[in-house]
């Protein structure tokens, strides 16, 4: 039997023998903190990140089938893309889809507006930015995120399709993330619809002429998205993929 001097005691998963002593977790929790510097540590930040995931999962788990919509925040109601986004999401909402956006102005506002008009759930996942960007008035279920990667997870996890309108860096980021997830098999039965052939054709021509010509992507990689100017075509693509997904689940393949 070990002498009393070398008997171990625990601090969480750690076993210590000898003179080494640590306060218990309860003691550390309940004692008055000397300062608040701990809230700037990576450990505390990890807990905040986990909390954001939990809140997001809790809020969105029950919304049903959904479509995430992206596009420029810098356009107004007079822009053709605004009108098209509003029309598209109104039709999708009538088919039972929730609509998820970043919750801000421009295309996001148009998509949330259409969802509300169509009687659907209108979700806004806003992000903390150096400049103020509040949730638009058409959001019926809104969240504020500190971390882009947590927010981006919500866009993919709870959506069955991406609809992407003309936009800037943020829109392109969401586009290529979706294409990468599909290309690598991380998500399946996930249509990506690009609206505005005139806007996207230059990018698609470049992808054919440079990355594909140099063997950095395959020809089939350019078939995992649909480019259109037709709202009804977009709805049909999304409904067809949803039916395919249901059939695959019924056959036990998902």
């Amino acid at each position: 039997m070990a002498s009393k001097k070398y008997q171990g005691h625990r601090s969480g998963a750690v076993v210590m023998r000898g003179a080494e002593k640590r306060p218990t977790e309860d003691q550390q929790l309940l004692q008055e903190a000397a300062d608040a510097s701990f809230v700037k540590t990576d450990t505390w930040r990890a807990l905040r990140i986990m909390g954001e995931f939990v809140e997001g999962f809790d809020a969105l788990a029950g919304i049903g089938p959904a479509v995430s919509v992206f596009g420029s925040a810098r356009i107004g109601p007079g822009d053709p893309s605004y009108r098209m986004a509003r029309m598209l999401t109104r039709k999708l909402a009538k088919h039972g889809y929730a609509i998820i956006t970043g919750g801000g102005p421009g295309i996001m506002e148009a998509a949330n507006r259409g969802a509300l008009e169509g009687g659907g759930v209108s979700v806004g996942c806003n992000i903390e930015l150096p400049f103020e960007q509040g949730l638009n008035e058409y959001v019926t279920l809104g969240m504020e995120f500190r971390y882009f990667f947590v927010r981006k997870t919500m866009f993919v996890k709870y959506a069955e399709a991406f609809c992407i309108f003309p936009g800037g860096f943020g829109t392109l980021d969401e586009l290529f993330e979706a294409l990468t997830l599909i290309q690598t098999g991380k998500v399946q039965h996930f249509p990506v619809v690009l609206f505005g052939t005139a806007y996207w054709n230059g990018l698609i021509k470049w992808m054919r002429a440079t990355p594909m010509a140099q063997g950095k992507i395959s020809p089939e990689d350019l078939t995992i998205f649909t480019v259109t100017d037709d709202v009804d075509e977009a709805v049909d693509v999304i409904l067809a993929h949803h039916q395919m997904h249901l059939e695959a689940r019924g056959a036990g393949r998902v």
Side-chain angles (χ1 to χ4, degrees):
M1 181 176 177
S3 67
K4 187 173 182 180
K5 178 180 179 181
Y6 292 104
Q7 286 179 353
H9 69 280
R10 290 182 178 272
S11 175
V14 178
V15 176
M16 294 168 291
R17 292 193 174 108
E20 179 67 23
K21 294 288 183 182
R22 290 184 186 177
T24 67
E25 291 297 319
D26 282 340
Q27 287 173 332
Q28 294 186 76
L29 174 65
L30 297 174
Q31 71 184 7
E32 183 179 354
D35 59 60
S37 61
F38 68 92
V39 301
K40 298 181 180 179
T41 64
D42 286 342
T43 302
W44 191 258
R45 191 169 290 115
L47 293 173
R48 282 209 308 253
I49 291 167
M50 183 173 67
E52 284 204 351
F53 275 118
V54 170
E55 288 179 355
F57 295 160
D58 279 350
L60 302 183
I63 64 172
V67 175
S68 290
V69 180
F70 305 95
S72 177
R74 302 183 183 188
I75 65 166
D79 190 286
S81 292
Y82 186 105
R83 294 194 295 272
M84 188 177 291
R86 182 179 172 187
M87 185 188 308
L88 170 70
T89 56
R90 187 189 306 124
K91 290 190 175 188
L92 287 172
K94 289 180 178 179
H95 280 284
Y97 285 94
I99 301 299
I100 305 173
T101 79
I107 290 294
M108 296 174 281
E109 176 187 294
N112 289 129
R113 185 175 182 179
L116 190 61
E117 292 168 344
V121 179
S122 179
V123 180
C125 297
N126 203 11
I127 186 69
E128 180 181 89
L129 294 171
F131 48 89
E132 188 67 25
Q133 176 182 289
L135 288 168
N136 67 66
E137 63 182 301
Y138 303 104
V139 169
T140 60
L141 175 60
M143 292 194 65
E144 301 278 351
F145 291 91
R146 288 187 177 95
Y147 301 102
F148 265 112
F149 57 88
V150 179
R151 179 188 189 227
K152 285 155 69 76
T153 299
M154 304 304 154
F155 289 144
V156 177
K157 178 173 175 58
Y158 293 103
E160 294 192 3
F162 272 11
C163 293
I164 303 182
F165 287 82
F169 286 160
T171 302
L172 294 172
D173 176 49
E174 298 295 349
L175 167 61
F176 282 107
E177 179 175 44
L179 297 182
T180 301
L181 290 171
I182 296 167
Q183 182 198 53
T184 55
K186 296 296 184 181
V187 296
Q188 298 175 336
H189 309 294
F190 196 95
V192 176
V193 180
L194 304 183
F195 276 89
T197 54
Y199 189 84
W200 296 110
N201 273 345
L203 175 62
I204 295 167
K205 287 179 180 177
W206 174 82
M207 286 194 286
R208 286 198 182 101
T210 306
M212 192 177 81
Q214 295 180 12
K216 294 179 173 62
I217 60 174
S218 303
E220 58 266 26
D221 292 333
L222 297 184
T223 67
I224 58 180
F225 55 84
T226 300
V227 186
T228 186
D229 296 306
D230 188 333
V231 167
D232 290 328
E233 180 184 4
V235 172
D236 289 344
V237 166
I238 292 167
L239 292 177
H241 275 77
H242 181 68
Q243 184 61 36
M244 183 193 312
H245 181 59
L246 292 177
E247 291 172 358
R249 289 177 64 180
R253 294 196 300 270
V254 174

